[in-house]
Amino acid sequence: MERRTIEPRPGWQQTVEAQGLIYPLTRYPDDSLRPYWDESAYYVFTLPEAEALEEVVEELHGMCLAAAGHIVAADRFADLGITDPRVARAVAEAWHRRAELPSVYGRFDLRYDGTGPAKLLEYNADTPTSLVEAAAPQWFWMEERFPDGDQWNSLHERLIAAWKNQAALLTPGSPLYFAHSAADELGEDLMTVAYLKETAEQAGLGTEWISMEEIGWDPLSERFVDNQLRFIRSCFKLYPWEWLTTDRFAGHVLDSLDNGGGTGSTLWIEPAWKMLLSNKALLAILWELYPGHPNLLPAYLDGPRELAHTTGYVAKPLLGREGEGVTVHEPGAPVPVREDACCYQELAPLPSFDGNRVVLGAWVVEDESAGLGIRESSGPVTDEYARFLPHVIL
């Protein structure tokens, strides 16, 4: 793994916007605009290195599924902050019927510096973003800049194949709706959903577009409907389950949930069992089940334990996006009392390449490794000001 600088292509912003990345710039607190898509540098991997990382990702995915099964079997929902019995039952039923429920994709965040083993930082298997830039613009960048190179990137083909594989789980003759929140101001959620909708259409599925805010509830039929009062039989939503099960329509979601087996009226993708994988408590349960595993960091739910005076630790809220609420604690520092439930994970500072902190976003489609996206940040936590850099295998 190596970081190399390069002169950006003339007109790069217009190029990536035309390829679906309509948010190539990030607005900073001083109101300046700086590149989010940053092609002033790129990362190089060897083929054996990329293949080894692919194997790690698939092993981690299998371990996470085993941990999810353990949570359900041992009734450890409270460790995930799932205290509503109805939600716990819905998640457990979805897990037991997972073969009947479409499930498409997820993204591992990994610490890796090209030398030691990759370490799992977290797994977003419910509403991962940065998909568009990983699947399309960086592939086209590679074809233009390194036509003889390769890339860890089969996202587009695998997504189309996933929709084809799982089409039989959808209601025949009913469109698959694609929904995002209209509160998204940057366009990232919008384009993520638009891209997934496009891959579903290329797989031969009939689709419809809707925002989460436009979804209505018909009290007569007791079903969710679109803005033309048509039943929403199945819906991919870029909207976290922890919101879906706690907002004002949560009761209707649970009452009408199609969890497989032909019951209920609305099938949501990703399915409810993904709540088991997108919760930071998973990190502690993985360490409990696989202590000392080379691709895991020590993690606990009841406090930092020995990490407070040995390596230091990172306190992560059980739920959250883009580093929100994450705090970093050096060894020997006083342990603050937090009111919110957290996962306490060993402090493993992100590797620095030319002063840039790097995290690998490794994609899984269905149960297979499918691609890589790289984000850089200036600080120790990957936040909303991170930059996306392309990569190539040479």
Side-chain angles (χ1 to χ4, degrees):
M1 180 177 176
E2 180 184 351
R3 186 184 195 269
R4 298 179 184 175
T5 58
I6 191 172
E7 190 69 24
R9 295 167 296 175
W12 64 266
Q13 181 177 340
Q14 292 76 18
T15 297
V16 298
E17 285 179 344
Q19 293 163 353
L21 192 66
I22 65 171
Y23 42 94
L25 304 174
T26 298
R27 187 172 297 279
Y28 279 67
D30 63 1
D31 212 35
S32 65
L33 288 171
R34 308 178 201 175
Y36 164 65
W37 168 269
D38 186 356
E39 60 176 69
S40 66
Y42 63 98
Y43 283 85
V44 179
F45 296 84
T46 66
L47 181 58
E49 188 176 28
E51 290 175 340
L53 285 168
E54 284 188 288
E55 292 178 3
V56 167
V57 167
E58 294 192 359
E59 181 180 3
L60 285 172
H61 179 65
M63 291 161 57
C64 289
L65 294 180
H70 165 77
I71 294 167
V72 173
D75 192 16
R76 297 185 61 177
F77 293 100
D79 286 339
L80 279 66
I82 300 176
T83 56
D84 185 333
R86 292 189 69 196
V87 176
R89 284 195 298 270
V91 173
E93 182 184 29
W95 172 255
H96 291 308
R97 292 185 176 273
R98 61 191 180 279
E100 305 167 43
L101 300 171
S103 173
V104 182
Y105 77 138
R107 191 195 73 228
F108 284 102
D109 285 348
L110 304 175
R111 183 203 183 280
Y112 180 69
D113 62 5
T115 58
K119 300 287 187 179
L120 173 62
L121 299 174
E122 58 187 68
Y123 191 13
N124 187 340
D126 183 20
T127 59
T129 54
S130 77
L131 176 67
V132 174
E133 47 269 47
Q138 77 162 339
W139 178 263
F140 295 126
W141 169 90
M142 185 268 297
E143 287 190 320
E144 185 174 340
R145 303 307 296 263
F146 298 95
D148 296 327
D150 200 356
Q151 196 172 82
W152 179 5
N153 189 358
S154 57
L155 277 164
H156 192 77
E157 298 82 357
R158 289 187 184 275
L159 287 168
I160 294 172
W163 292 121
K164 288 181 178 179
N165 291 342
Q166 302 186 48
L169 302 176
L170 304 175
T171 302
S174 296
L176 172 59
Y177 284 79
F178 282 80
H180 81 293
S181 174
D184 167 39
E185 297 179 352
L186 299 178
E188 183 175 18
D189 291 359
L190 168 71
M191 292 310 298
T192 300
V193 172
Y195 174 63
L196 286 165
K197 181 176 182 290
E198 178 185 339
T199 60
E201 290 169 351
Q202 290 184 25
L205 301 182
T207 68
E208 291 285 351
W209 181 268
I210 197 168
S211 72
M212 293 297 297
E213 290 77 6
E214 290 177 310
I215 297 176
W217 177 256
D218 180 4
L220 296 179
S221 63
E222 296 187 333
R223 292 187 176 189
F224 285 109
V225 295
D226 66 10
N227 42 21
Q228 297 182 46
L229 299 181
R230 296 174 298 185
F231 295 150
I232 298 177
R233 189 66 188 85
S234 55
C235 181
F236 174 91
K237 86 292 176 289
L238 199 69
Y239 193 80
W241 270 102
E242 62 265 22
W243 298 355
L244 205 61
T245 55
T246 56
D247 67 14
R248 58 191 288 251
F249 287 101
H252 297 322
V253 170
L254 295 171
D255 288 339
S256 64
L257 181 61
D258 183 343
N259 246 348
T263 59
S265 61
T266 300
L267 179 74
W268 299 97
I269 309 169
E270 298 288 332
W273 66 263
K274 286 295 190 82
M275 292 182 75
L276 303 169
L277 302 186
S278 286
N279 189 300
K280 305 302 189 300
L282 174 72
L283 302 170
I285 293 171
L286 282 168
W287 186 249
E288 177 187 322
L289 297 177
Y290 303 96
H293 192 283
N295 301 119
L296 298 177
L297 294 167
Y300 309 104
L301 294 175
D302 57 357
R305 299 190 191 179
E306 79 281 356
L307 306 178
H309 58 268
T310 55
T311 62
Y313 64 96
V314 178
K316 299 180 175 183
L318 299 187
L319 301 168
R321 299 178 64 181
E322 296 185 325
E324 182 180 1
V326 174
T327 56
V328 179
H329 305 264
E330 298 293 337
V335 179
V337 177
R338 293 188 60 141
E339 296 183 359
D340 57 329
C342 286
C343 175
Y344 301 87
Q345 187 181 51
E346 179 182 279
L347 175 58
L350 295 177
S352 177
F353 288 78
D354 300 333
N356 301 285
R357 304 285 187 148
V358 180
V359 64
L360 304 190
W363 292 92
V364 170
V365 174
E366 292 185 300
D367 293 318
E368 296 183 342
S369 172
L372 174 68
I374 299 175
R375 287 171 294 160
E376 287 185 345
S377 58
S378 301
V381 177
T382 305
D383 57 17
E384 68 268 30
Y385 301 111
R387 305 169 296 279
F388 186 97
L389 278 76
H391 78 276
V392 64
I393 296 172
L394 295 176

